[in-house]
Amino acid sequence: DAKTTQPPSMDCAEGRAANLPCNHSTISGNEYVYWYRQIHSQGPQYIIHGLKNNETNEMASLIITEDRKSSTLILPHATLRDTAVYYCIVRPSFAGGTSYGKLTFGQGTILTVHP
Amino acid sequence: SAVISQKPSRDICQRGTSLTIQCQVDSQVTMMFWYRQQPGQSLTLIATANQGSEATYESGFVIDKFPISRPNLTFSTLTVSNMSPEDSSIYLCSAETGTATEAFFGQGTRLTVV
């Protein structure tokens, strides 16, 4: 599976947009970019995923570069409750053989939202 | 979406004993997974729980240490056998439905071995 690189930590002011970058330069054509977050003492929570088009849902937006080698997760109006570890994961599509369904977690980015 | 319940939520166990963790999903799911999260670390996949057949283990994890059952499409168990303090971790169950594209996670079982 393709590896991802994320900054170890970021800060954001409450109410401002949080932009979390992820590098996945070895991504292959059938691999999606997924974002999860883990709030302290909880299980990971799905945020969003995409293949090559930009995606938006009620939680966040995902911007994927045209060459698909990097992406940015955007939390448009960060709140204190968004403080968490954010994981960017590259995962094969459902037709992806033995890696089907598996999530390989890196170290993620610790996002701290401050007042 | 799917709601995943894990039991117990936490436990303190003596070394050399075994603990079985239960994972119950509120709907039928195609795939279930077990992860380990050691203190201060990220999640590591232990195995894929296959319904009606033996689990598929990741490198570094073996069936004798982490036996897994999955008797049906909504339930799985993970046993941590012959525990040592190094097994102190959070163990998380994950499930994925056939029609959804995201995985859901339980809240985890915090295990401390003394």
Side-chain angles (χ1 to χ4, degrees), chain B residues 38-95:
Chain B
Q38 294 176 301
Q41 300 298 312
S42 185
L43 285 77
T44 300
L45 181 64
I46 297 172
T48 302
N50 301 309
Q51 194 263 329
S53 65
E54 196 170 281
T56 304
Y57 290 84
E58 297 298 305
S59 175
F61 297 96
V62 295
I63 187 172
D64 290 346
K65 177 66 176 177
F66 298 102
I68 288 170
S69 78
R70 190 178 171 194
N72 56 49
L73 293 177
T74 65
F75 186 78
S76 178
T77 67
L78 168 75
T79 298
V80 186
S81 302
N82 189 24
M83 289 182 286
S84 68
E86 291 71 35
D87 295 320
S88 296
S89 295
I90 299 173
Y91 292 86
L92 296 118
C93 172
S94 172

Side-chain angles (χ1 to χ4, degrees), chain A residues 17-99:
Chain A
N19 298 285
L20 291 88
C22 179
N23 183 288
H24 31 79
S25 59
T26 60
I27 193 170
S28 60
N30 70 342
E31 290 181 318
Y32 286 76
V33 180
Y34 281 76
W35 284 84
Y36 282 78
R37 73 180 182 184
Q38 187 174 25
I39 296 171
H40 183 62
S41 298
Q42 298 184 20
Q45 176 189 23
Y46 165 82
I47 301 173
I48 199 167
H49 76 282
L51 184 62
K52 54 183 177 181
N53 296 322
N54 298 338
E55 302 288 344
T56 296
N57 63 20
E58 64 278 5
M59 289 183 68
S61 294
L62 173 60
I63 308 298
I64 302 173
T65 58
E66 191 169 345
D67 63 7
R68 303 208 322 124
K69 292 185 177 182
S70 65
S71 61
T72 301
L73 177 74
I74 301 172
L75 307 179
H77 305 287
T79 70
L80 299 179
R81 288 174 294 181
D82 292 322
T83 293
V85 181
Y86 287 77
Y87 297 101
C88 170
I89 300 169
V90 171
R91 195 182 90 162
S93 69
F94 286 111
T98 58
S99 296

